[in-house]
Amino acid sequence: MEKIEHTTITTNGINMHVASIGTGPVILFLHGFPELWYSWRHQLLSLSSHGYRCIAPDLRGYGDTDAPPSAASYTVFHIVGDLVGLIDHLGIDQVFLVGHDWGAIVAWNFCLFRPDRIKALVNMSVVWFPRNPTIHPVDGFRAVFGDDYYVCRFQEPGEAEKDFASIDTALLFKNLLSNNDPSPPCIAKETGLSGLLKTPETLPSWLSEENINYYANIFNKTGFTGGLNYYRAIKLSWELTGPWTGLQIKVPVKFIVGDLDLTYSIPGVKEYIHSGGFKKLVPNLQDAVVIEGAAHFINQERPEEVNAHIHEFIKKF
């Protein structure tokens, strides 16, 4: 870990913290919520040893990267703009892109807006959901899961922050990272987040107190507003992406998900992945891997398998 270099670069009007290691073709890693560059620690070390330059920023709103106060500054255009600025700053023409969770959503949009900058994509957890021009995603989730669904609960500025602040941050990360319940996370107003907590008696073998404390220490300093603002910008992103309605993602893609991932259990997702719908919208989808017994934080839970899947795919290009 001490071989990983940490720098700050200026891009798209913000200062961005970047972790990097290795030399060779570039792999750009995009983390999810509520995470950091640190979520990719296993991939940075493994893939750099295979002759790749591995780069993992703290995305806008996270860790040591700037967090603009307005939720309107967190559309997919802002985040993709930050990343284009990052690779421009580093003098990189094209990258292999790897995303997970919100990082996967950003990665899909990066491939939609700027496919010229992407050699190939390995995305985890969140499939490409085509834009529905008749309903924005928050209302779509509300119609399926109700007002208590976490995406809906995160919309009101300040509310979720109070909820997060009421729980010890280390305890929160213990619960979040070790959770392998694929049912939809619904946050009842009466109980808040604490109603979802199922603290494990022992941590799973892949997760240590040191890992938990790394996240907790950073989020104790920054709070969660930056990450929550991604959810609050969903409607604005939906409005602004109107011109891209109906477009396919045309870069080469490998998709990886755990069969216990809550995203895999969203109604219709399994059928979409396995019955041709996904391939129709992502015509260069070359593989969709379902890892048995793995939950949401798959790149940390099953690093050896994930590293092998990434390497096996990108070495073809």
Side-chain angles (χ1 to χ4, degrees), residues 5-299:
E5 295 177 13
H6 295 271
T7 54
T8 299
I9 66 113
T10 300
T11 173
N12 199 23
I14 63 166
N15 295 308
M16 174 174 269
H17 166 244
V18 181
S20 62
I21 184 172
T23 56
V26 175
I27 312 174
L28 179 61
F29 295 91
L30 310 179
H31 68 77
F33 173 89
E35 298 180 76
L36 301 161
W37 75 269
Y38 183 75
S39 298
W40 298 111
R41 60 197 178 278
H42 303 296
Q43 287 70 41
L44 293 178
L45 297 175
S46 171
L47 288 151
S48 63
S49 75
H50 286 295
Y52 292 91
R53 182 181 179 189
C54 297
I55 298 173
D58 283 336
L59 295 179
R60 173 182 290 241
Y62 286 97
D64 291 323
T65 293
D66 288 350
S70 168
S73 298
Y74 290 81
T75 70
V76 288
F77 292 97
H78 289 87
I79 316 303
V80 172
D82 297 343
L83 298 167
V84 171
L86 166 63
I87 61 176
D88 283 349
H89 178 93
L90 297 173
I92 298 162
D93 181 39
Q94 283 194 314
V95 298
F96 292 110
L97 195 57
V98 178
H100 170 256
D101 186 77
W102 255 107
I105 296 171
V106 172
W108 290 123
N109 283 280
F110 198 155
C111 294
L112 189 68
F113 303 151
R114 293 302 304 270
D116 58 305
R117 307 303 295 269
I118 310 300
K119 288 182 194 171
L121 168 67
V122 178
N123 242 359
M124 291 170 230
S125 185
V126 182
V127 292
W128 172 240
F129 288 113
R131 182 182 184 276
N132 181 342
T134 64
I135 184 169
H136 76 73
V138 178
D139 284 348
F141 284 127
R142 189 174 277 115
V144 174
F145 297 115
D147 288 335
D148 288 347
Y149 191 58
Y150 77 105
V151 174
C152 306
R153 280 274 170 255
F154 287 174
Q155 294 302 308
E156 189 59 41
E159 286 299 309
E161 283 89 340
K162 279 185 213 161
D163 211 359
F164 278 99
S166 70
I167 300 162
D168 175 77
T169 311
L171 183 67
L172 180 68
F173 276 101
K174 264 183 198 174
N175 277 271
L176 277 175
L177 294 170
S178 61
N179 178 38
N180 60 3
D181 179 359
S183 57
C186 292
I187 304 169
K189 239 184 173 167
E190 307 75 49
T191 57
L193 269 173
S194 59
L196 279 180
L197 298 188
K198 297 169 188 166
T199 306
E201 285 182 23
T202 57
L203 289 175
S205 59
W206 58 271
L207 190 61
S208 70
E209 292 289 347
E210 182 189 358
N211 302 151
I212 296 289
N213 291 333
Y214 189 92
Y215 288 107
N217 289 338
I218 300 276
F219 279 90
N220 276 333
K221 287 183 213 158
T222 64
F224 290 85
T225 300
L228 290 165
N229 278 339
Y230 283 64
Y231 294 92
R232 293 166 186 159
I234 287 174
K235 186 179 180 190
L236 182 55
S237 287
W238 175 80
E239 291 170 358
L240 294 173
T241 49
W244 287 266
T245 301
L247 280 189
Q248 295 173 314
I249 303 281
K250 291 191 173 171
V251 306
V253 175
K254 182 174 199 169
F255 181 72
I256 304 169
V257 68
D259 69 346
L260 298 178
D261 193 323
L262 53 93
T263 63
Y264 190 57
S265 295
I266 291 172
V269 165
K270 287 175 190 166
E271 296 75 13
Y272 173 65
I273 292 172
H274 302 297
S275 300
F278 193 16
K279 176 82 173 169
K280 191 175 174 186
L281 289 158
V282 185
N284 214 347
L285 176 69
Q286 298 186 12
D287 203 0
V289 177
V290 180
I291 296 182
E292 285 187 23
H296 183 64
F297 297 96
I298 194 165
N299 48 322

